Amino acid sequence: MTYPAPAPRRLARDTRNKMIAGVCAGIARRYGISTGALRLAFVVSCILPGPQFIAYLVLWVLMPADDRW
């Protein structure tokens, strides 16, 4: 007997587990990784040169809020 695969979660900001805007929490939930690990990776990556902060702001604007709650 085979069971249907669970429906994939859409990429949306997690408004329940957010710290700032819910971007990291939404990405972590979508891909099934630890929210804390993703947040730590983002903070560490901000030390490196690059547009990480700008990418976060763009995702904040473009990602829809998770309105299922």
Side-chain angles (χ1 to χ4, degrees):
M1 176 181 221
T2 60
Y3 295 99
R9 292 189 166 173
R10 66 186 181 114
L11 184 60
R13 290 184 292 118
D14 189 349
T15 55
R16 281 220 155 162
N17 298 314
K18 67 180 184 174
M19 288 193 82
I20 297 175
V23 173
C24 289
I27 292 171
R29 184 182 62 200
R30 168 64 177 91
Y31 293 106
I33 57 178
S34 167
T35 304
L38 186 66
R39 287 177 179 150
L40 180 63
F42 174 74
V43 169
V44 169
S45 77
C46 285
I47 297 169
L48 303 171
Q52 295 87 337
F53 186 69
I54 294 170
Y56 187 90
L57 292 176
V58 168
L59 287 172
W60 187 350
V61 171
L62 295 180
M63 283 176 63
D66 187 4
D67 55 0
R68 295 181 302 162
W69 306 105

